Amino acid sequence: MAAFELYSKNAHVWLPDAAEVWKSAELLKDYTPGDLTLSLQLEDGTVVEHNVDPNTKNLPPLRNPNILVGENDLTTLSYLHEPAVLHNLKVRFIDSKLIYTYCGIVLVAINPYESLPIYEADIINAYSGQNMGDMDPHIFAVAEEAYKQMSRDQRNQSIIVSGESGAGKTVSAKYAMRYFATVSSSSEETSIEERVLASNPIMEAFGNAKTTRNDNSSRFGKYIEIGFNKDLCIVGANMRTYLLEKSRVVFQAHGERNYHIFYQLCASSHLSEFKAFKLGCADDFCSTNQGQSPVIDGVDDAKEMCNTRRAFSLLGIGESDQVEIYQILSAILHLSNVDVKDQSSDRCSILPDNAHLMVFCELMGVPCEEMAHWLCHRKLQTITETFVKSVSKENAVHGRDALAKHIYARLFGWIVNSINNALASTMKQHSFIGVLDIYGFETFDVNSFEQFCINYANEKLQQQFNLHVFKLEQEEYMKEEIPWTLIDFCDNKPCINLIEAKLGILDLLDEECRMPKGSDDTWAQKLYNTHLKQDAYFDKPRLSNEAFIIHHFADKVEYQCVGFLEKNKDTVNEEQINVLKKSKFDLLLKLFEDEEKLKAQTSKTSSNTGRPGKSQKEHKKTVGLQFRQSLHLLMDTLNATSPHYVRCIKPNDRKAPFTLDPMRAVQQLRACGVLETIRISAAGFPSRWTYQEFFGRYRVLMKQKDVLPDRKQTCRNLLEKLIKDQQKYQFGKNKIFFRAGQVAYLEKLRSDRLRSACVAIQKTIRCWLARKKYLRMRQSAIVIQKHVRAQQARSYVKFLRQTKAAIVVQRNLRMWSKRRHFLQQRSAAITVQRVWRGCLARKHYFKLLYEQKAVVIQRMVRGWLARQRFRRAMEAVVLLQSCVRRMRAKKELKKLKVEARTVEHFKNLNIGMENKIMQLQHKINEQLKENRELTERLSVLEKTHTTEREKQCREIENLRSSEQEARAKAETVPSLLEQLSFLQEELENIRREKDHQEEQTKIYKEQTQQRIHELNMKNSLLNSNLEELNEEFSVQAQHLAEIKTNLENTKQLEKDLTEERSRYQSLLSEHLQLEERHKDLKEEMNITVISNQSSHQRTDSNYSSISSEFSQILSSTEDEDSAIQAEDEVETKVDLPILLKLQKRVKELEGENRSLWKKLGKKEEAQQEKAKTNKEVEIQTTFGRTELDVEKLKRQELESENKKLKQNLNELRKSLTSENSDLAPPAAGSLPYNILLEQLSSSNEELELRKEEVLLLRSHMVRQEALKHRDKRQKLTELHLRSTNIHTLNEDGELWLAYEGLKETNRLLETQMQEQECLHSEKYRKLTEEMNKLRSEKEHQQKLLATSLLLPEDARIDASLKHEITRLTTENLERMEQQQKQDKTIRKLKKQLKLYMKKVEDLEANARQTISSSETSMPVRPVHIARKEKEFQGMLEFKEDDTGHLLKNLVVDLKPRGVAVSFTPGLPAFIIFMCLRYADSVNDDRRLSTLLNSTISSIKGVIKRKGNDFEVVSFWLANTCRLMHCLKQYSGDEVFMVHNTAKQNEQCLANFELTEYHQLFGDLAIQIYRQIIKSMENILLPLIIPCMLEHEAEQGVLGSKPTGLRKRSPSCPDEALTVEVLLQRLSFFHTTMSQHGMDSDIIKQVVKQQFYIISAVTLNNLLLRKDMCSWGKGLQIRYNVWQLDEWLSERELSGCGAKETLEPLIQAAQLLQIKKNTEADAKAICSMCSSLTTAQQIVKILTLYTPVIEFEERVSNTFITTIKNLLKDRAESSNLMMDAKKIFSVTFPFTPSSVALETIQIPASLNLGFLIRV
């Protein structure tokens, strides 16, 4: 197709414009070759004529189709030229608010001048691991590509960030470094990042300044190398700087400033530490006031100074070094103010009292006279002698400025070295990623040496960039094996040669600098003579002989030669430097250390070469030479790495957010090489499609017969048919390559085909609509005719009927008159008969009524008498029962009092405390059920009230209708009167009848009025009832509101509980991870110790201790016991179960001691009271003896417990200190050793406290002994009193014992009296409460009786029934509570009885053994024993040594797949629990605790090793939950025994309370649950995006757009991933969990988590992919979600909450499909998208919405603004993305098992033959 054919009518082109650079216009007619003008219409409607150059015949560039506008990659545009690039960037930046765009391998970043939420951690996680073309353009995508290539190719990388000042280079580099620090998972990433970022304020203060274009312009370049080790973790960083603009220290143009640090220092001069510097404001110094712009708007220099000092501190530069830095800077400021006086043309001087010079010398620590001398003189050295010559004022000023620049440059270099030292690391660097933040191309009104070097560096970078782009372009063609020719690209090698080649600008500049009398003018003349008219890139201004022009790749720049030589030489008077070196200022001496080293090397070289006469000046490198060498070094570094390019664009100079100045943007696009990239791409084949993409897009251009199974051949046939010129495209191996404009031509053909199809569809639909309208009109005409004819027929029939009706009326009227006369006579006779019969009936009725009343009176009296007799008998019986029950209660009370004083009572009181948490949980569940029931009742009541109200309304309407009928009848009375008068005139003979009729009419009126009165009464009654109903409704509404508030509070509590549970579970998982990490480190330490002790070779550190242990177990059967024992010892040392048990026992002893001390306190308080009677003394004595027995028991128990504690602690010390153990103990001073010592010391302190308490108890027991032998002490006292020697009597302490016994007796009596008083007061209180309760009940009964008497009989019965039901309900509840308490008491007593029975059986067994041992010698006659059928008890007997073997076969070596398919679900859990039952039955706590702890450790080890195997994790989650449920089911707790059978209740644990292990197994289940979620997430993440987003059910229906140079990576090249694959994986998860016997509630929670992950990952990817935000993709997402919903329905999981997690994704898909035009659409969107967490998500999706076909419309900015205004009040969240790592809190509801333990068989395949069924 010829190019001119594209210039047809309605085609869009671009026209040059002075203000907007390019304007869009539309062709009004077709262009034909030879036309000299084009008729165009601009967007504002203006018609213009565009002239075509007859020589070049260049037509204006064509505009891309709207469907290609706003693409992620500029290379996907069909027409690649400057206006297309500018328009695409403008649409993305202004309309879509997207600041990043790809241009081939370049990332174009436009500064938004606004903070955007696109750099959070969740965005980093979303880009991590993704290919560069899979996501929207972002700086993170470039950083991820560099990081991935470094790890994959083992090659260093570079990110080159360039752009002019203010474009955002530093920010882009900072975000790239933050990305590396986040994804590298380094332990030091945060500190490295902080230190690197802390260098930014310092480098900006010392290297940035205000220019005419930017307030914070970088006046140097830097290259930061971020080092990584082999594990790709950051280990350090290094910074290199380039070309600091030193001239700015002494000179600034108008409107510019010096470096920021000088102004920050002047703004902080008032600080005490800066007083000695004698500073003032910035206007007082010559080096800071030349630009006459000392202040930057919006910048506080004093605050910035604080930031600079803080950054110094973060980098480790101390306060003393900082003060020295500021001291040197202050000296430079004072040096600039030193005034030089002119004495003659070649002589000058400085006054000796110059204040600034004196301050300078004072700050620098040098003599003032010597410095003043060498500022005005210079030393000339010849071969034979040395001269000191004075200099002119101009040269002196130049020397002063050179010294200031030299000092500042040295200080800047020292600061950079200090930063590098702070960022350095001792670890070995394996690879690095370099980030180059360098100045962009610069051109000012006056360009000097600095701009020349900057542009020279950009020329080198552009050359490297061009070669790299050209190389990639040619590699792509070679890879696809298509014929290609060399692409002609703009090579700037001649321009670089002009600068750096031999006899180039830099070479001539260095040569002129070496000349004795070289000057800028002579150098300019050399340039003109050498390059003018010989080099096309060099030119001379017409009106100047001191300037030259270089044609750079971006633009031509004019440089002023003045100052080039001086800046290139950068000469400093050596004598001035020597004066500074004599200073005692440490930092100043450090600045010149490098120079001393350089001198030493130079002198050494000179001595070796034998040329000592050479001056040092000849060996000093010029600035240009140094910069050229550093630039070559940088290029070598970049060429040795894989480069990645980021071009930063400054959109406008006003810093307005999201505002693009086209002129400034085009200038920067030209300067940064983006347009050159476009030109290189356009010169070849810029548009590239894969065969599948091409087929999917242009399938509409094919006929069915053209579609072949081979997609490549199909595409070839189509292209050969559509495009005749085969040079316009090429077929590669995997792609089709098109020349520029061919894709637009194909799009035009596709659009025409779709438009013709639309026209055909519209034609058919309009035909159908027109025919439908015709048929409807025809049918309407027929209906109208039918109705007209029917109306005529009805009129004729009506006439006939009226005629016949007149005859009938006459006939009936005559009949009526005769009949009326007859009826009057008949009515009179009937009336007489009625009156007589009524009189007789009334007499008979009154007689019957009298008899009935008499019968009723008799019945009531007889009933009253019978009730009186029954009531008296009932009261007597109740009194008798009360007396009997009181006697029994007193006996029971005494019995309970005795039991209450025993130790067992105190223990039993504490037993129920352990179940309070479960009871509280149970109460919460019951409360939720009650709330639901109340809600249901309320709904039923509302419905009944609504029906009653409607019924009453209907009755009122009926009454009103009857009233209206009555009124209507009343209105008929006048008509009747008229009729009667008419009849009276006509018939005079019935006048008397007329009077009678009038009387009847009056009676009828009275009756009507009475009826109306009755209706009014009823109406008022109904109104009153209605008001009562309204009041009742309001009361119920209040009650409903209270219920709703209670429900809301309950929901809030549930929400808080869920959050707390999730927080606890997350903390638990972190704790478990840290614990596992600690165990690993401990095991590695033990392995290291063992390897060091043994003579064998050291094993690999990566080899885990667990695997080594199990390999030892599997290696030989002989070492099994020893290995397991060693493992147990290690576990004992790490987990410290003995110490935990001791601490638990100590807590119990503390509780018992507290209770004992409380009793002792009570006894001491009762010491002052006295006994009243002897009888009470005896009672108290017996009570004291019982207390004495109790105290003895407690003392013995405490002593035994203390002995056990001592033994355990001794064993623990031995195990910790023994050196003969298999595994060496922790080294002294290590963390585990210190922890053990701390815990041992704390336990020793607690034991000492226990000892003191035991001593106190012993002293108390001595006092109790006095009570026991009271009589004996009294007798001894009397004997001793008879004796004369009191000292002899008191030698044995018997007198003291008697006295103490008497005191204890008094105390006991007082205590008993106090207890009796408390009992009496308690009884009085209870009786008072009961009396008050009866009184309130009586008042309530009276109120109910009074209200019931007012009610009718039916309502009275209902009220009494309700009251009775309420009373019975409360009584039943009280009885149930009492029964529960009694049941608990019975269970506790049963447990105690079992313990006692066990002890008795043990005693009897011991006795039998003694008897049998004595009878063994007696001969026994052999007897035949018949074997009975054994009844199993559901236990497995095992030895303590078999624990390790059991867990090895049952946990470690078990394969879940075989067990899940072949055996009972949860078989390992049942086997372990049956072993626990056996340990419980033999009362072996050590075996029980060992088995439980070893089980937990073994399961943790399996999960740790095989955590990524879903089947293993699912299997052990099911078994862990089953074991936890078994512990609860057989715990004997009433809450868990409800669903048990009688046999299962008999099998409950008898001796041990394992409630604490419920929590341990619950924590273990939580850990396994989180692991199963992680394993599922690892499996699902690679499938979610391809299945949910990328896959299309019908290829080519909506088409696809080209993806440009960065093709999206196929998710799975070998297999097409569809949503069916995802469903198959979900089905596999569900089937596996079901086979393993996992509880259905846990399966539902797992499925809910799966669907949340799917929803979050899909939505997050959708928010970051512009190509996925289209109408068709929304349809595909909804279809995929529907399939997920169907999967839930098939497995009956719809109620698990999984569907709700998909709501954000569903609403996002609906948002893509809904209309987005009007304000009503905006309101509909806001109401619909309620599940999207933030308004940012809605706005983001609308912003990213991209039409795939041209018939779709883009979302306008006005509509997005309307959405933002409507969403202002919505609660905002700072996160744009959903938290894909969120894990819902899990609960494990109790699920009892119906499996009988005695029926479980152990398969032989488990190798558990050592277990014996009991």
Side-chain angles (χ1 to χ4, degrees), residues 76-176:
T76 61
L77 300 176
S78 178
Y79 301 116
L80 290 175
H81 41 61
E82 181 180 295
V85 171
L86 181 63
H87 181 65
N88 197 76
L89 292 175
K90 183 178 179 181
V91 170
R92 288 178 62 84
F93 183 67
I94 297 177
D95 297 342
S96 301
K97 300 295 186 292
L98 299 173
I99 65 173
Y100 294 110
T101 305
Y102 289 133
C103 179
I105 63 170
V106 180
L107 176 69
V108 179
I110 305 177
N111 193 346
Y113 290 115
E114 188 177 284
S115 179
L116 300 178
I118 58 173
Y119 302 103
E120 286 78 10
D122 49 1
I123 305 291
I124 294 177
N125 294 330
Y127 275 90
S128 178
Q130 300 290 334
N131 290 323
M132 197 166 181
D134 292 347
M135 309 290 283
D136 280 355
H138 203 287
I139 185 65
F140 291 160
V142 177
E144 172 62 24
E145 183 71 12
Y147 187 77
K148 187 181 296 182
Q149 288 187 14
M150 181 185 67
S151 62
R152 182 185 62 215
D153 303 335
Q154 298 297 316
R155 180 179 171 87
N156 297 328
Q157 307 291 314
S158 291
I159 299 178
I160 301 172
V161 184
S162 63
E164 73 172 43
S165 180
K169 302 186 298 298
T170 305
V171 175
S172 298
K174 180 180 70 174
Y175 285 133

Side-chain angles (χ1 to χ4, degrees), residues 434-499:
V435 181
L436 178 63
D437 176 10
I438 199 165
Y439 21 64
F441 185 83
E442 285 189 354
T443 173
F444 298 109
D445 294 336
V446 177
N447 300 289
S448 185
F449 181 72
E450 291 81 6
Q451 283 71 38
F452 173 77
C453 293
I454 289 173
N455 295 337
Y456 168 46
N458 278 273
E459 286 285 353
K460 296 287 289 185
L461 290 174
Q462 182 64 24
Q463 182 190 29
Q464 190 266 350
F465 172 73
N466 289 343
L467 293 175
H468 185 69
V469 172
F470 176 76
K471 178 181 176 183
L472 291 179
E473 194 78 10
Q474 306 298 351
E475 284 180 353
E476 178 73 13
Y477 296 156
M478 294 176 65
K479 180 181 176 181
E480 291 293 327
E481 297 180 357
I482 64 172
W484 57 279
T485 58
L486 287 174
I487 298 174
D488 182 19
F489 66 96
C490 182
D491 189 5
N492 58 348
K493 181 66 174 175
C495 183
I496 296 174
N497 291 334
L498 171 66
I499 297 173

Side-chain angles (χ1 to χ4, degrees), residues 130 266 676 712 792 923 960 1260 1308 1342 1354 1498 1677:
Q130 300 290 334
C266 292
E676 183 63 22
K712 290 186 178 181
Q792 292 176 353
K923 285 183 180 180
R960 287 177 180 173
H1260 180 61
L1308 292 173
Q1342 289 177 355
D1354 297 336
S1498 300
I1677 293 172

Side-chain angles (χ1 to χ4, degrees), residues 731-757:
F731 294 102
K733 293 174 62 178
N734 303 308
K735 302 176 185 177
I736 307 174
F737 292 77
F738 295 94
R739 294 284 186 185
Q742 300 308 307
V743 173
Y745 171 65
L746 293 175
E747 286 293 323
K748 180 176 180 299
L749 296 178
R750 182 176 180 273
S751 176
D752 294 340
R753 177 64 60 85
L754 291 176
R755 186 175 288 105
S756 63

